Amino acid sequence: MLRLSSKRLYSTASNLVKTPLHQAHIELGGKMVPYAGFEMPVLYNTQSHIDSHNWVRSKVGLFDVSHMLQHKVTGKNAKKLLQKITPIDLDTLPVNTSSLSVLLNNNGGVIDDCIITKHGEEDFYMVTNAGCRARTSQVPGDLTEIHQRRLEQDLFRANQILKSFSYKRPGPLARSGYTGEDGFELSIPSSNPTESKESLDFFRTLINEYPDTVKPIGLAARDSLRLEAGMCLYGHELTEEITPVEASLSWLIPKTRRESNNEFNGASKILGQLKDKSSFTHRRIGLTSKGPAPRENSKLFNEDGTVEIGYVTSGSASPTLGGNVAQAYIDKKYKIGSNVKIEIRGKLRDGTIAKLPFVPSNLYKP
């Protein structure tokens, strides 16, 4: 995303991997940066960051996310495996539907977030983050049994439905997204994973045939969009030291897995936190402020500036709302609406604890 500060996610290697859409990014004037070992567009020369952000909120943004990992989990005990390494209840998930979940370590910390799609009772498709490749192969529960596909398929994220476009899709299409707008992820198989004519043709067709509606969008806007939508980014809001409960993601643990069939990684700690709120001290919240934007690791203090009470995990100016928005972990005794101080550039500045998301989801409901 925009701020290239997370050592976990950004690579400085000279041999960066190019996605199958790399040629199109160059043609469209993409400013390429290293991201999770890949060369990815952060912006395009036809739009500023703010222009790109606002375009997605009002029209259609097309993201290249073909750097992400895709997994096919099938066969005997596939469901048992996934319900060991995540808190999801696959028995209640209808076939051909998806759900957000998290991969857990033995202590209940988050190794990665993921989307799991159920194709059958023992047939699942899972998408995880490119920056977590090394860790997802070490998830307690033998995740290494899963066949991991990275570049064999191209994955796109298109925000808002293209109602006038008809395309016979050859791969998975999921209604999902990372911006708060209606989103779709399309995976297009290719016989040549590094030079996919099919994916390039599709990408170019959307942009060329619908220039007043569709534009390619880079990592900069994706980060500010997801931040406004209150969505987590691994390495920032999610780490192996933070449980889903502390991350305000308790809704990922359904009632059925709290009461029975709860032998998932870290269940003892996670279920203990759900029952006893005093067993943990900090939770993920939102912040708003004016002036310079809070950044990762900015310290938080009480209103008087005398007691340190938390830290910022992500922050930026908000193109939609004006002012700044941030996510942070803060002492639970400080409630929404409380005034705080944020240490920015060596000075304590005013901030307010806010409810997430900052911008409500705008999903189409028939």
Side-chain angles (χ1 to χ4, degrees), residues 1 75 118 174 210 248 279 316 336:
M1 323 282 200
K118 183 177 182 178
Y210 303 91
S248 300
S279 62
S316 77
I336 292 172

Side-chain angles (χ1 to χ4, degrees), residues 36-299:
F38 289 77
E39 190 173 1
M40 300 292 294
V42 66
L43 286 170
Y44 294 88
N45 60 16
T46 56
Q47 287 189 316
S48 68
H49 169 205
I50 293 176
D51 291 337
S52 297
H53 181 108
N54 292 336
W55 186 275
V56 175
R57 288 276 180 248
S58 61
K59 296 190 178 182
V60 177
L62 188 59
F63 296 90
D64 176 7
V65 291
S66 50
H67 59 297
M68 297 180 75
L69 282 167
Q70 300 178 79
H71 316 265
K72 186 73 172 175
V73 189
T74 61
K76 184 180 179 181
N77 294 325
K79 179 172 68 176
K80 182 179 179 181
L81 169 64
L82 288 176
Q83 294 199 152
K84 168 65 176 174
I85 62 180
T86 78
I88 197 171
D89 187 348
L90 294 170
D91 288 323
T92 60
L93 186 67
V95 173
N96 291 326
T97 62
S98 304
S99 178
L100 176 69
S101 194
V102 284
L103 299 172
L104 300 168
N105 63 26
N106 283 328
N107 199 39
V110 177
I111 293 175
D112 197 3
D113 55 334
C114 60
I115 298 288
I116 299 176
T117 302
K118 183 177 182 178
H119 290 162
E121 293 306 316
E122 296 287 355
D123 184 1
F124 303 93
Y125 166 72
M126 180 170 67
V127 178
T128 59
N129 289 302
C132 297
R133 287 195 301 274
R135 288 186 297 280
T136 55
S137 65
Q138 300 171 7
V139 177
D142 295 325
L143 184 59
T144 51
E145 295 176 1
I146 297 172
H147 173 59
Q148 297 188 358
R149 298 177 294 166
R150 184 175 68 224
L151 289 177
E152 287 87 341
Q153 296 182 344
D154 303 328
L155 192 65
F156 302 93
R157 206 174 290 245
N159 287 22
Q160 297 183 317
I161 189 169
L162 294 174
K163 295 185 175 123
S164 61
F165 187 78
S166 176
Y167 182 76
K168 186 176 181 180
R169 58 182 178 85
L173 174 65
R175 188 180 180 192
S176 182
Y178 196 48
T179 66
E181 303 297 326
D182 238 344
F184 296 86
E185 293 184 349
L186 173 62
S187 180
I188 302 178
S190 172
S191 56
N192 187 338
T194 59
E195 297 179 3
S196 174
K197 182 179 184 302
E198 297 90 343
S199 59
L200 277 169
D201 287 348
F202 180 74
F203 191 80
R204 288 166 172 155
T205 297
L206 284 176
I207 294 167
N208 294 334
E209 293 195 11
Y210 303 91
D212 296 330
T213 304
V214 183
K215 287 188 182 295
I217 305 295
L219 297 174
R222 192 168 78 146
D223 194 46
S224 55
L225 288 160
R226 70 92 191 167
L227 185 53
E228 287 185 346
M231 295 178 177
C232 298
L233 174 62
Y234 193 87
H236 294 250
E237 288 72 44
L238 301 178
T239 74
E240 292 193 51
E241 291 71 46
I242 296 173
T243 69
V245 180
E246 294 162 335
S248 300
L249 295 175
S250 297
W251 57 273
L252 291 179
I253 304 104
K255 183 179 179 180
T256 50
R257 300 220 67 191
R258 300 183 191 195
E259 298 177 347
S260 62
N261 191 21
N262 53 19
E263 296 181 357
F264 53 85
N265 291 342
S268 177
K269 180 175 183 178
I270 290 171
L271 297 179
Q273 289 180 335
L274 288 171
K275 292 177 181 178
D276 181 9
K277 303 300 183 184
S278 66
S279 62
F280 61 101
T281 60
H282 287 63
R283 65 186 177 108
R284 179 174 65 97
I285 52 84
L287 289 172
T288 58
S289 71
K290 301 291 185 180
R295 297 301 187 187
E296 180 185 7
N297 295 325
S298 294
K299 294 179 181 180

